[in-house]
Amino acid sequence: MKKSFCLILFILLPCLWQAIWSLEPTYFKGRKLDIPRREHAVIIGNEGFYPQDISLFEGESLKLYITNTTDKPGCFFLPEKELFLSVDKGEIAEGHVIFSKPGQYRFYCPTGTMSGRITVLDRVTEEERIGRSLASEEGTVKVKVWRPREE
C-alpha cells in the first residue's frame, strides 16, 4: 500500500507541478490603458466592406486591419481623419485613429461604390451614471403589466 501510494505520488507530483506553473507569470496581471482601444478587422470583398458598420465610444482609439479578397486593388478612405489605406489581394494594411467627438463618420473606397460608417457614441460620464435611479425605488412610476381580460 505504501509503495503504491509513493509511486502514484512520485508520478503525479511532476504533472501537478507542470500544470500549476505552466501559465505565464503575467497571465493574471491586467493592463490599464490611458486611452481605451478597440481593434477591428475590415474585409474588402466583391459585395463591399465587411462589416459595414463599426461602433465605438468617443475618446477611444480604433486600430483597423484592412484586407482584400478581390483581384482588384482595394482601399479604405476615412476623409474626416485623413486615413487612406490601400491593399492588394491577400495583404493586410493597418491604420490607427482616435475619435474625440461623437457622430457618424463615413468610410469608402473612391474607386468603387462600396461604403460604410463608423458610429461614435457619446460616453456617459461618471456623474451621469451615478445620478441615475433604479426603477424599483420608491416614488418612481410603476410599470403596468398587460394581462389578458377575463370574460
Side-chain angles (χ1 to χ4, degrees):
M1 178 72 179
K2 284 186 176 184
K3 287 183 182 181
S4 62
F5 177 73
C6 289
L7 183 61
I8 292 172
L9 187 63
F10 183 72
I11 292 172
L12 289 179
L13 192 60
C15 296
L16 186 61
W17 180 265
Q18 180 66 25
I20 291 172
W21 295 106
S22 63
L23 293 175
E24 294 180 27
T26 60
Y27 184 75
F28 294 109
K29 293 181 181 176
R31 163 175 105 181
K32 287 204 169 209
L33 302 171
D34 294 334
I35 298 173
R37 180 177 58 196
R38 278 189 202 260
E39 296 180 349
H40 276 281
V42 178
I43 301 169
I44 301 172
N46 290 327
E47 300 82 24
F49 292 106
Y50 179 80
Q52 289 183 341
D53 296 312
I54 298 173
S55 59
L56 61 142
F57 290 103
E58 71 173 311
E60 291 183 340
S61 70
L62 177 65
K63 186 161 188 178
L64 292 165
Y65 300 96
I66 313 295
T67 188
N68 187 5
T69 61
T70 64
D71 292 328
K72 299 182 289 184
C75 59
F76 179 93
F77 182 50
L78 185 61
E80 288 88 355
K81 296 295 179 179
E82 298 178 359
L83 176 69
F84 180 80
L85 302 169
S86 75
V87 288
D88 290 326
K89 183 175 183 176
E91 291 182 355
I92 297 174
E94 296 180 19
H96 182 263
V97 291
I98 297 176
F99 293 93
S100 57
K101 291 189 236 174
Q104 290 191 345
Y105 300 88
R106 183 174 171 255
F107 61 86
Y108 58 93
C109 182
T111 62
T113 58
M114 56 184 130
S115 67
R117 71 176 176 215
I118 298 174
T119 304
V120 180
L121 303 170
D122 191 15
R123 182 178 294 280
V124 177
T125 62
E126 190 72 23
E127 294 83 27
E128 292 173 333
R129 194 182 59 151
I130 292 172
R132 295 181 181 172
S133 63
L134 297 174
S136 60
E137 288 180 352
E138 288 292 324
T140 58
V141 178
K142 300 286 182 183
V143 177
K144 294 183 179 180
V145 178
W146 178 84
R147 292 189 182 149
R149 189 170 42 168
E150 293 181 17
E151 294 188 45

